[in-house]
Amino acid sequence: MGLLTGLRSSISRAASTLFSDEESKRIGIYGPPNAGKTTLSNRIVRDWTEHGDAVGPESHIPHETRRARRRENIEIERDGKTVTIDVVDTPGVTTKVDYTEFLEHDMEKEDAVRRSREATEGVAEAMHWLREDVDGVIYVLDSTTDPFTQVNTMLIGIIESQDLPVLILANKIDLEDSSVQRIRNAFPQHETIPLSALEGDNMDEVYDNIAEYFG
Amino acid sequence: MPHQCTDCGRAFDDGSKEMLSGCPNCGGTKFQYKPAGTSDSESTAEPAEPPEPPEPAVDSTVARTVGNAATAVRDLVSSSSADSLDDSGGQSEQSPTSVTEQRPAENHAQASARSEVVSRDELPPAPERFRAAPQTTQSGQTTHSPPEPEGVTRDEGNSPSKPPASTPDDSTAETADSQDDSHEESSRPDLSELRKELNDQFESIRVVERGQYELNLMELYDREEYIIALQEDGKYTIQVPERWND
């Protein structure tokens, strides 16, 4: 396996250098449930790929994404430079998953229980990806909610401990209750960029920073 | 056959009810008490009534037990109240007593074995066969006043704090049971908290109930293997790192 794997990786590395200036960076899109990670992923993919297929379905119901999804070789051009990234849309990370939460969204109990189990598996997968398979992190937060949570603190702490480059995105600035400053106050050590992934607001600044941080 | 009719000589086993209404043979109301050891000499009179033994035998063992119990209680208590027990089953003196005298004495012995001890105070270390009595004694104490936790803490020293579970009912065994129950309930939160703490420390995913999970993110992050499927009973399927890295 070692020989084959090495051969394959070297081939893919050679191939990637043919089409882009640098090796593709695998960027994990992390954050709590319902922060807009999939919406952002879909926007990035639609903005920078020809086919523009969605990474995954978006939903207002938490834990819509229960498996990590990856889109590879997304080339983002900024200032004449091309940055190639693999976008990994991860399930929302949380410390508790409760099926009763889904019942409020007109879901049958059995479906809610199954969703709960899958969401838990998804969190495990997301944490595993964070450990093994990402070169950088885009941390998405819903700017209408309090960022001072155990999950956010822990995840940012883990990311910092791994010395991974991280970009914090304050999403949903199109909503009234949005407060970007609250997020800046929570994580002053990191760059925080406001955006609305849904509306496409301020995406230019987002891409600038992606190119800068992960290029 | 500790009892013998003084008129016709008919013998009765200890605790026999036949003599309560007088001797069935002669109607005599006076009976002589004879301990088991001395009865051999007069065993000649007994063969007259062979059919009796089966029933009385049971009664005699019961009576003997009660008598032993009474003796043990008396020894333990060594109070004046025990003097009244002297007339009960296990005595050595041959004293002719009337039925009316004899019977109450036995009843009293039984009563004292059951109830008197209950109401009496300190009897902490009792013989094995008295296990029921000390329990009731404890419960009796506990129902009186809040010191009841003492007994509970002695049983299980694990629980440092417990709400004063005051059980107003005086029923002995039930009280003891309910005490245990209430104690278990009171100690449960501590255990569950401890369990939770341990789970928090060592378990990456805890199934609270069906469809409800608690996740330890650090554990999930730290573990080499990747959890790919959960089951309702808390088991999960993992993927080994090598396969993951293919």
Side-chain angles (χ1 to χ4, degrees):
Chain A
M1 183 176 109
L3 185 64
L4 281 177
T5 307
L7 189 63
R8 187 166 55 183
S9 66
S10 65
I11 288 173
S12 71
R13 210 175 302 132
S16 67
T17 51
L18 283 177
F19 299 109
S20 63
D21 296 331
E22 291 179 28
E23 191 177 346
S24 181
K25 295 281 176 56
R26 191 173 289 171
I27 307 303
I29 299 184
Y30 279 84
N34 247 22
K37 297 178 292 299
T38 302
T39 304
L40 174 68
S41 302
N42 286 340
R43 178 158 291 280
I44 293 173
V45 170
R46 283 172 179 148
D47 282 352
W48 296 102
T49 62
E50 286 185 13
H51 304 297
D53 291 337
V55 173
E58 304 162 18
S59 169
H60 65 288
I61 305 174
H63 296 290
E64 179 67 26
T65 305
R66 300 186 290 283
R67 284 292 176 203
R69 295 193 184 94
R70 181 172 54 175
R71 288 298 302 269
E72 295 177 316
N73 295 320
I74 298 166
E75 296 178 10
I76 298 174
E77 292 179 18
R78 305 310 286 178
D79 298 333
K81 251 181 77 177
T82 301
V83 176
T84 306
I85 61 171
D86 296 347
V87 170
V88 183
D89 181 27
T90 66
V93 176
T94 183
T95 54
K96 281 184 183 175
V97 183
D98 190 341
Y99 76 95
T100 57
E101 183 186 358
F102 307 133
L103 296 178
E104 299 165 6
H105 297 276
D106 293 333
M107 200 175 287
E108 293 296 322
K109 185 183 175 183
E110 283 308 310
D111 293 338
V113 167
R114 187 175 63 250
R115 189 184 182 94
S116 178
R117 179 172 48 77
E118 291 172 355
T120 304
E121 293 169 358
V123 175
E125 185 179 12
M127 296 307 291
H128 191 83
W129 273 88
L130 185 58
R131 176 193 168 98
E132 305 280 344
D133 291 288
V134 294
D135 302 312
V137 172
I138 294 175
Y139 200 81
V140 183
L141 287 167
D142 179 348
S143 60
T144 66
T145 61
D146 185 2
F148 289 98
T149 65
Q150 184 191 1
V151 169
N152 292 338
T153 307
M154 193 175 292
L155 277 182
I156 294 292
I158 290 172
I159 293 162
E160 288 173 349
S161 72
Q162 277 202 313
D163 284 329
L164 290 172
V166 58
L167 205 56
I168 293 180
L169 301 190
N171 194 20
K172 304 190 185 181
I173 57 169
D174 56 306
L175 298 180
E176 254 185 39
D177 299 336
S178 168
S179 170
V180 177
Q181 192 56 43
R182 192 165 48 180
I183 295 176
R184 285 202 176 103
N185 293 340
F187 305 105
Q189 70 274 33
H190 297 289
E191 185 75 24
T192 297
I193 302 140
L195 82 154
S196 168
L198 185 67
E199 301 295 331
D201 297 342
N202 205 33
M203 288 306 295
D204 277 341
E205 189 182 357
V206 171
Y207 294 131
D208 285 344
N209 278 276
I210 287 176
E212 183 185 339
Y213 271 73
F214 309 120
Chain B
M1 54 288 313
H3 306 285
Q4 188 177 34
C5 177
T6 54
D7 291 339
C8 69
R10 175 169 174 173
F12 301 90
D13 277 319
D14 199 358
S16 170
K17 294 174 182 172
E18 283 183 281
M19 57 184 188
L20 287 179
S21 52
C23 178
N25 281 7
C26 63
T29 55
K30 288 199 176 183
F31 298 88
Q32 183 182 22
Y33 179 74
K34 292 197 175 226
T38 60
S39 61
D40 290 342
S41 59
E42 297 168 23
S43 61
T44 51
E46 293 158 31
E49 299 105 24
E52 286 186 17
E55 235 185 26
V58 177
D59 287 338
S60 69
T61 54
V62 171
R64 199 174 302 125
T65 306
V66 171
N68 292 338
T71 308
V73 170
R74 183 195 57 201
D75 291 340
L76 284 167
V77 177
S78 68
S79 64
S80 59
S81 65
D83 295 341
S84 61
L85 304 176
D86 286 345
D87 294 337
S88 64
Q91 307 312 312
S92 56
E93 283 93 357
Q94 294 185 8
S95 60
T97 52
S98 69
V99 173
T100 49
E101 284 172 5
Q102 180 69 33
R103 196 56 200 173
E106 286 188 356
N107 284 341
H108 192 278
Q110 292 176 356
S112 64
R114 292 201 194 90
S115 64
E116 205 169 57
V117 179
V118 173
S119 58
R120 287 298 161 261
D121 11 47
E122 54 273 357
L123 288 175
E128 278 300 308
R129 63 171 170 269
F130 274 87
R131 194 176 293 150
Q135 276 181 358
T136 55
T137 305
Q138 280 183 2
S139 69
Q141 288 176 344
T142 57
T143 51
H144 290 162
S145 58
E148 63 180 48
E150 292 173 4
V152 179
T153 44
R154 212 186 312 134
D155 289 343
E156 306 171 29
N158 297 338
S159 59
S161 65
K162 62 190 70 59
S166 57
T167 51
D169 47 15
D170 287 337
S171 60
T172 56
E174 287 175 5
T175 307
D177 288 344
S178 64
Q179 259 183 352
D180 287 343
D181 288 344
S182 65
H183 169 59
E184 280 177 13
E185 283 172 11
S186 67
S187 66
R188 239 170 241 149
D190 293 341
L191 284 174
S192 64
E193 277 176 22
L194 182 65
R195 210 171 289 136
K196 184 178 181 303
E197 202 174 302
L198 289 172
N199 276 328
D200 288 347
Q201 288 175 10
F202 299 111
E203 290 293 329
S204 49
I205 296 175
R206 193 168 80 89
V207 183
V208 182
E209 276 182 37
R210 189 165 173 262
Q212 294 178 321
Y213 302 91
E214 287 180 2
L215 299 96
N216 186 327
L217 299 181
M218 281 309 294
E219 276 288 319
L220 284 171
Y221 172 73
D222 280 339
R223 62 187 313 150
E224 287 276 335
E225 64 277 6
Y226 159 46
I227 298 172
I228 54 174
L230 285 169
Q231 294 170 24
E232 293 300 337
D233 58 1
K235 294 176 182 170
Y236 40 77
T237 308
I238 61 170
Q239 190 172 35
V240 293
E242 271 195 5
R243 212 171 127 61
W244 175 255
N245 289 328
D246 66 347

